[in-house]
């Protein structure tokens, strides 16, 4: 009889060791509560046995009635006495016989508490999508405390991901990184697909801080690990490939950005999450714009906007207006560009998404300058100088100084123009934004050459050409590998 108990326990331990949480790759409540509950119950081996005894007595069942047909009365006696740790299979059997859920028997916590918490997390996500980030912060903070009290690590991670996303919108980048890192740490034992949203969040935070190379490193490392692990989760891969497009583009690695977009498009038919697919279309649009395929880019943005409209995700809708404004500007439709950019700015400002609002206003200022509204553009740019710094939107901060330099040149204030160009050069060089850096070096070189400072002009041109000639690598290794074909 003892042999049967020992074998049953060993088999159960094996099953428990293999059990992992779900692989949801969006920013939705994850099913990690059971895993955290099992870890919590392991601190008190007799807790499950005491619950079994209480519930059995309440229901008027004998040990034999509870045990059969899978176990013996002796096993139930040993379990209730706290002398054996039940396996997952045993707990599931007993829970069914006692008329409770696995989670309730394992943790002593009614199952509806975890379910209610997950529903509340969905509501917090909806608040973030449709309202201001500050409103969602209060919800996520309260739910994080509730998840901690209940010992639900999966739900704690979901709340931390939500708080990280809120911090991205409000421009609190150190806070965002801290939240995403905490979520990733909580999920350290979970499969990589479940950690993908936290990795993506960290990468976006570093991207917005101007740390382009490190953002690429995080995403490339996760992609390579995911492909090498045999866990080719389509949603997780699509999320990571899509996220890599923006830092690649800012670094001037257009070929890598296009490849990431192609790989993500190939995965799209296997992904059911519409928000992930919309993000893909938005990312791919940027590679199409760079290739001069503006009509295709506009069509891709229209697909993304339609999905975001259905999901009522205002921040992402604003990003679509933002990119469509850029498309119109590239095509020379400055009035259309102004309309789209103002719509994006107003939507983001209504959500109090401060950093994104400032970035859109840089693009708007460029359009206003080109429309001849120089005074309005300059006033907007001077205000933005205080909102965009080296560690908070450095690429766009460089763009502010570039535009102020152009305005100064148009007024023949060459000394002021040079100051702005040099400042922009420093910001862009630290960020590694190769394409923008090459452009600012050209502007500075032209300015110096017209002033008769030929040697200084040549130095500026060489700096720009050096970055243009760079191979575009982002880590010490090659580009991320393609997913294995099945």
């Amino acid at each position: 009889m003892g042999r049967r108990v020992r074998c049953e326990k060993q088999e159960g331990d094996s099953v428990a060791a293999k059990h992992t949480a779900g692989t949801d790759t969006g920013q939705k409540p994850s099913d990690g509560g059971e895993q955290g509950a099992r870890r919590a119950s392991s601190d008190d081996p007799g807790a499950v046995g005491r619950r079994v005894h209480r519930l059995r007595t309440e229901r008027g069942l004998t040990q034999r009635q509870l045990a059969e047909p899978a176990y013996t009365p002796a096993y139930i006696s040993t379990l209730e006495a706290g002398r054996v740790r039940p396996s997952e299979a045993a707990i599931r059997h007993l829970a069914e016989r006692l008329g409770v859920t696995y989670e309730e028997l394992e943790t002593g916590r009614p199952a509806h508490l975890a379910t209610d918490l997950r529903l509340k997390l969905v509501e917090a996500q909806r608040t973030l999508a449709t309202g201001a980030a500050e409103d969602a912060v209060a919800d996520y903070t309260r739910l994080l405390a509730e998840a901690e009290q209940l010992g639900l690590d999966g739900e704690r991670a979901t709340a931390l991901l939500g708080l990280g996303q809120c911090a991205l919108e409000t421009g609190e980048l150190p806070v965002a990184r801290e939240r995403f890192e905490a979520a990733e740490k909580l999920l350290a034992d979970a499969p990589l697909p479940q950690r993908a949203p936290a990795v993506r969040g960290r990468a976006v935070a570093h991207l917005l801080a101007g740390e382009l190379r490190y953002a690429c490193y995080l995403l490339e490392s996760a992609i390579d690990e995911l492909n090498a692990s045999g866990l080719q989760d389509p949603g997780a891969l699509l999320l990571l490939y899509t996220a890599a497009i923006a830092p690649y583009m800012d670094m001037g690695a257009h070929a890598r950005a296009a490849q990431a977009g192609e790989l993500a498009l190939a995965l799209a038919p296997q992904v059911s999450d519409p928000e992930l697919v919309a993000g893909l279309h938005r990312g791919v649009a940027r590679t199409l714009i760079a290739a001069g395929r503006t009509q295709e880019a506009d069509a891709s943005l229209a697909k993304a906007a339609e999905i975001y409209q259905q999901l009522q995700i205002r921040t992402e809708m604003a990003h679509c207006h933002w990119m469509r404004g850029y498309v119109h500007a590239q095509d020379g439709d400055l009035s259309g560009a102004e309309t789209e950019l103002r719509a994006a700015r107003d939507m983001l400002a209504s959500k109090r998404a401060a950093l994104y609002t400032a970035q859109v206003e840089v693009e708007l200022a460029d359009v206003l300058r080109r429309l001849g509204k120089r005074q309005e553009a300059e006033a907007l740019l001077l205000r933005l100088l205080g909102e965009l710094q080296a560690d908070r939107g450095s690429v766009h901060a460089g763009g502010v100084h570039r535009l102020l330099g152009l305005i100064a040149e148009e007024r023949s204030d060459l000394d002021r123009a040079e100051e702005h160009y040099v400042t922009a050069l420093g910001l862009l060089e630290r960020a590694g934004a190769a394409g923008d850096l090459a452009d600012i070096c050209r502007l500075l070189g032209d300015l110096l050459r017209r002033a008769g400072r030929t040697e200084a002009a040549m130095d500026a041109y060489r700096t720009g050409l050096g970055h243009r000639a760079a191979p575009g690598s982002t880590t010490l290794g090659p580009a991320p590998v393609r997913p294995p074909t099945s």
Side-chain angles (χ1 to χ4, degrees):
M1 196 69 65
R3 183 180 300 109
R4 179 174 181 180
V5 171
R6 286 195 297 273
C7 291
E8 185 279 327
K9 179 179 182 297
Q10 290 169 357
E11 180 183 358
D13 288 346
S14 176
V15 172
K18 292 178 182 177
H19 182 79
T20 57
T23 57
D24 181 19
T25 54
Q27 294 179 16
K28 302 179 177 66
S30 61
D31 193 18
E34 202 169 276
Q35 188 178 25
R38 189 176 304 111
R39 183 162 54 253
S41 70
S42 67
D43 296 337
D44 183 0
V48 175
R50 289 192 295 273
R51 281 192 286 274
V52 169
H53 178 267
R54 176 177 57 80
L55 292 167
R56 180 180 64 77
T57 303
E58 288 175 358
R59 285 154 178 73
L61 298 173
T62 66
Q63 290 180 336
R64 181 178 298 281
Q65 288 172 326
L66 180 59
E68 291 180 346
Y71 300 94
T72 65
Y75 175 68
I76 300 300
S77 178
T78 304
L79 172 62
E80 291 183 347
R83 295 195 297 271
V84 64
R85 189 192 304 277
S87 69
E88 179 182 336
I91 295 175
R92 292 193 183 280
H93 165 81
L94 296 170
E96 182 179 357
R97 301 285 288 178
L98 292 166
V100 296
T101 65
Y102 171 91
E103 183 176 298
E104 184 171 351
L105 186 58
E106 171 75 9
T107 67
R109 178 180 59 243
H112 73 85
L113 293 179
T115 301
D116 290 347
L117 179 57
R118 291 164 193 157
L119 291 174
K120 291 175 186 175
L121 285 165
V122 172
E123 287 302 312
Q125 185 182 21
R126 175 55 50 199
T127 299
L128 176 59
T130 59
E134 288 95 334
D135 299 330
V137 167
D139 293 339
Y140 278 122
T141 301
R142 185 183 69 257
L143 296 174
L144 176 61
E146 189 175 333
E148 288 173 346
Q149 184 177 11
L150 294 174
L152 295 171
D153 283 355
E155 285 64 36
R156 286 174 65 194
T158 300
L160 286 165
L161 286 172
L163 287 169
Q165 193 62 36
C166 291
L168 286 182
E169 288 205 10
T170 56
E172 300 170 280
L173 302 183
V175 174
R177 288 196 297 270
E178 180 183 326
R179 298 300 192 184
F180 290 127
E181 287 168 4
E184 193 173 0
K185 185 176 180 180
L186 270 177
L187 299 171
D189 296 330
L192 179 56
Q194 195 174 342
R195 289 184 273 122
V199 175
R200 180 258 181 197
R202 287 177 60 202
V204 172
H206 285 287
L207 168 66
L208 292 174
E211 299 162 357
L212 310 184
R213 189 173 293 272
Y214 189 64
C216 290
Y217 165 76
L218 288 174
L219 295 166
E220 290 178 348
S221 298
I223 289 169
D224 285 342
E225 183 183 347
L226 194 55
N227 282 326
S229 69
L231 299 172
Q232 284 88 38
D233 183 280
L237 280 171
L238 188 148
L239 179 73
L240 295 170
Y241 278 125
T242 299
I245 291 174
Y248 282 153
M249 292 297 296
D250 284 347
M251 291 186 68
H254 292 181
R256 283 201 178 185
Q259 182 190 46
E262 289 170 5
L263 293 172
L265 282 169
L267 291 164
Q270 305 173 57
V271 176
S272 59
D273 187 337
E275 186 176 348
L276 288 180
V277 175
L280 162 64
H281 286 306
R282 210 183 81 206
V284 167
R286 190 168 176 187
T287 68
L288 294 171
I289 293 169
R293 297 158 62 183
T294 53
Q295 287 188 341
E296 293 171 67
D298 200 41
S300 189
L301 288 171
K303 291 179 185 176
E306 182 180 359
I307 296 172
Y308 290 136
Q309 181 67 45
Q310 292 171 353
L311 297 175
Q312 297 183 338
I313 304 179
R314 288 182 60 80
T315 299
E316 305 303 338
M317 272 294 297
H319 279 274
C320 287
H321 282 293
W322 180 357
M323 289 190 67
R324 293 188 84 170
Y326 185 77
V327 170
H328 287 309
Q330 291 291 101
D331 280 346
D333 179 9
L334 298 181
S335 295
E338 182 182 3
T339 299
E340 293 285 354
L341 291 171
R342 286 191 186 278
R345 191 265 306 274
D346 292 345
M347 291 176 73
L348 291 168
S350 71
K351 285 179 57 65
R352 301 195 287 278
L355 182 54
Y356 291 137
T357 301
Q359 292 177 341
V360 170
E361 287 180 328
V362 177
E363 305 280 359
L364 177 59
D366 186 28
V367 170
L368 292 173
R369 183 190 67 85
R370 292 167 62 186
L371 282 169
K373 303 176 182 180
R374 185 186 301 164
Q375 189 172 356
E376 183 181 354
E378 186 174 23
L380 180 55
L381 292 166
L382 290 172
R383 177 172 60 78
L384 290 173
L385 281 179
E387 299 179 26
L388 296 167
Q389 299 94 31
D391 60 346
R392 190 173 181 270
S394 60
V395 174
H396 284 82
V400 170
H401 285 286
R402 173 187 176 275
L403 291 171
L404 286 171
L406 287 170
I407 292 172
E409 268 204 86
E410 290 165 358
R411 289 177 172 163
S412 299
D413 188 348
L414 302 187
D415 289 340
R416 181 61 59 85
E418 181 179 351
E419 289 176 9
H420 284 299
Y421 290 154
V422 170
T423 302
L425 192 153
L427 287 165
L428 297 170
E429 195 163 32
R430 282 194 296 273
D436 291 340
L437 183 57
D439 177 66
I440 205 68
C441 287
R442 177 187 60 80
L443 290 172
L444 178 59
D446 289 348
L447 176 67
L448 295 170
R449 180 176 54 81
R450 286 195 298 271
R453 298 160 61 187
T454 307
E455 187 173 343
M458 292 301 295
D459 286 341
Y461 289 140
R462 278 192 289 267
T463 299
L465 287 172
H467 285 281
R468 271 295 189 198
S473 63
T474 53
T475 67
L476 296 180
V481 297
R482 293 175 177 270
T485 54
S486 55

